[in-house]
Amino acid sequence: PSTEAIPSTEASGSGTGRSNPNHSYPFDGGYPFDGGFRVGYREIEPESLFREYRLGFTTYHNFSHEALDDAGSWDSWRTAYTSGSFNLDSNVTFLNYHGMGLSASLSPDRYSRTATRGGPVMIEPGGTSWGLNVESDRRRALSLNAGFDLRRGARASGDDRSVNLSATLRPTSTVSLQLRPRFSVQDDAAQYVTSTTANPWAPTYGQRYLFGDIARRTVSLETRVEYTFSPTLTFQLFAQGLVSSGDYRSYKQLATPGSFDFVDFTAGSLVGTGATLRCTGGSICRDGAGTQHVDLNADGTPDFTFTDRDFNVRSLIGNAVLRWEYRPGSTLFLVWQRQQRADAVLGDFDFGRDVGALWGGPADDRLIIKVNYWLGL
């Protein structure tokens, strides 16, 4: 089970063509040209340092049917490139049963059909990723696991960093307790916000596609408890608490189709009231209610408004399952589920404040009973 920390944004805009890679076309979820392979090596005979180790290389690539517009041209295949990556991974188990994993990945730039939510195709920058994971002997009553992941986006598109820990306690053969805290920092230079036809922008076919530079911060804690009373009676509990924030630091619009170029909006001050509102000293001004006023033609008068997208999410989900096999092949499940969420429009990350507000959010509790009976016919 997981909780989506980032609110979705409604799609808007319309397509304008199919054959030109600078135009958009319907996204059907499938790509006619897919290719890739994996090659690996595994050593399972203990040596002087390792009990076993694995090395692997994986690559895959997807292309849309526009590649056939000029099948002999590299440019045709390049603009039809929709996803792919090159991946290296390794895992080792030492003689003392401790382990470690390393990974590296390279993703080329791709042409996204969905980034503008139905508008022109635009470049979605690739990037490089690295991962490190270490773990202790899982045979022990207490085992630990720690991991770190880093991604750097190309074209200054943003970086992601995350740290996760895991502690598993097995005091007896019938009891297991696991705690998994995680902290992530994500910076995205081009998060889609909205679109408008106000003061039409000719390079993107009259529509303006607005994006934001967003900083996300997320902390979560997963808890799992398993208890075996007998071979026919077990109990499982899962709970996840999560607090997340999203701070939109600046806004901009897509400059030209098929690119990752933007026209930045500079922050100004909003003066006046009602019909006399003016944005001075910049092209975008925020009022006290959290509405952004955008001056698209630099005449000082706002041409378009939208609600600031800053957010805070506080979420708590959980479920508990009691399973009883009351006769061979026949089982009774008693299930409790809880979903609790509280949202705010703040943008900044304050762990103590957000955790405290989590408990006051509205909750949805459900009790489910499921009975299976084996007829034995």
Side-chain angles (χ1 to χ4, degrees):
S2 63
T3 297
E4 176 61 49
I6 308 304
S8 62
T9 303
E10 292 297 326
S12 59
S14 59
T16 55
R18 290 183 63 85
S19 61
N20 189 329
N22 290 339
H23 293 181
S24 67
Y25 49 83
F27 174 70
D28 59 9
Y31 302 105
F33 301 104
D34 301 331
F37 70 89
R38 173 179 176 84
V39 59
Y41 176 80
R42 182 179 181 185
E43 178 59 67
I44 59 174
E45 293 292 334
E47 299 178 348
S48 58
L49 182 61
F50 303 126
R51 183 168 297 276
E52 67 169 331
Y53 63 86
R54 292 178 293 166
L55 303 173
F57 172 76
T58 307
T59 184
Y60 75 93
H61 304 278
N62 308 129
F63 300 85
S64 69
H65 59 80
E66 274 71 20
L68 296 181
D69 289 349
D70 186 0
S73 167
W74 165 251
D75 288 339
S76 181
W77 286 90
R78 181 68 189 91
T79 54
Y81 188 64
T82 54
S83 65
S85 67
F86 303 90
N87 309 285
L88 287 170
D89 62 88
S90 63
N91 289 276
V92 302
T93 301
F94 297 100
L95 294 178
N96 60 2
Y97 288 96
H98 295 298
M100 182 174 67
L102 291 169
S103 64
S105 176
L106 170 65
S107 299
D109 293 349
R110 68 187 186 95
Y111 282 87
S112 173
R113 275 70 179 160
T114 59
T116 58
R117 309 303 193 267
V121 171
M122 67 175 285
I123 289 179
E124 189 165 306
T128 54
S129 302
W130 296 270
L132 170 65
N133 185 79
V134 294
E135 64 177 4
S136 65
D137 186 354
R138 287 180 289 181
R139 303 174 305 165
R140 303 291 184 182
L142 175 64
S143 60
L144 302 174
N145 184 296
F148 173 75
D149 294 287
L150 171 65
R151 182 185 186 277
R152 294 196 177 277
R155 301 176 182 257
S157 59
D159 300 332
D160 299 343
R161 300 164 297 281
S162 67
V163 177
N164 61 84
L165 303 172
S166 177
T168 303
L169 178 64
R170 302 182 183 87
T172 69
S173 61
T174 61
V175 178
S176 174
L177 170 64
Q178 183 181 69
L179 298 176
R180 297 187 62 186
R182 184 176 186 272
F183 175 64
S184 67
V185 176
Q186 299 171 288
D187 296 304
D188 187 348
Q191 172 64 49
Y192 177 83
V193 174
T194 187
S195 67
T196 179
T197 55
N199 207 310
W201 181 255
T204 50
Y205 319 110
Q207 195 96 350
R208 293 177 185 262
Y209 298 91
L210 275 60
F211 292 80
D213 186 339
I214 182 176
R216 299 186 181 99
R217 306 292 183 265
T218 303
V219 174
S220 65
L221 173 64
E222 291 185 6
T223 302
R224 296 178 185 271
V225 178
E226 297 183 7
Y227 186 79
T228 302
F229 297 94
S230 70
T232 60
L233 183 63
T234 61
F235 173 78
Q236 293 179 316
L237 171 69
F238 169 84
Q240 181 199 57
L242 179 147
V243 293
S244 181
S245 69
D247 179 17
Y248 281 83
R249 297 172 294 193
S250 62
Y251 294 95
K252 52 196 172 184
Q253 73 173 56
L254 182 65
T256 56
S259 75
F260 193 71
D261 300 327
F262 299 92
V263 177
D264 294 325
F265 298 150
T266 56
S269 300
L270 194 66
V271 297
T273 59
T276 64
L277 278 177
R278 294 187 64 80
C279 188
T280 63
S283 54
I284 186 168
C285 303
R286 186 181 190 274
D287 63 24
T291 300
Q292 296 283 0
H293 301 257
V294 189
D295 175 15
L296 297 172
N297 56 5
D299 65 354
T301 302
D303 303 293
F304 175 66
T305 63
F306 64 91
T307 303
D308 194 83
R309 297 301 198 258
D310 288 351
F311 64 86
N312 292 75
V313 174
R314 299 88 173 234
S315 169
L316 178 63
I317 62 174
N319 59 67
V321 180
L322 183 68
R323 177 187 179 276
W324 176 36
E325 188 175 0
Y326 57 92
R327 56 173 292 171
S330 301
T331 311
L332 170 68
F333 296 91
L334 182 62
V335 183
W336 168 74
Q337 294 180 337
R338 182 180 180 88
Q339 293 184 333
Q340 187 170 0
R341 174 168 172 154
D343 297 335
V345 185
L346 299 171
D348 65 315
F349 184 82
D350 186 320
F351 180 76
R353 177 200 65 199
D354 291 336
V355 170
L358 170 63
W359 307 105
D364 179 14
D365 292 279
R366 299 183 181 184
L367 184 64
I368 303 169
I369 299 176
K370 178 181 177 181
V371 180
N372 294 334
Y373 184 81
W374 177 250
L375 296 178
L377 298 179

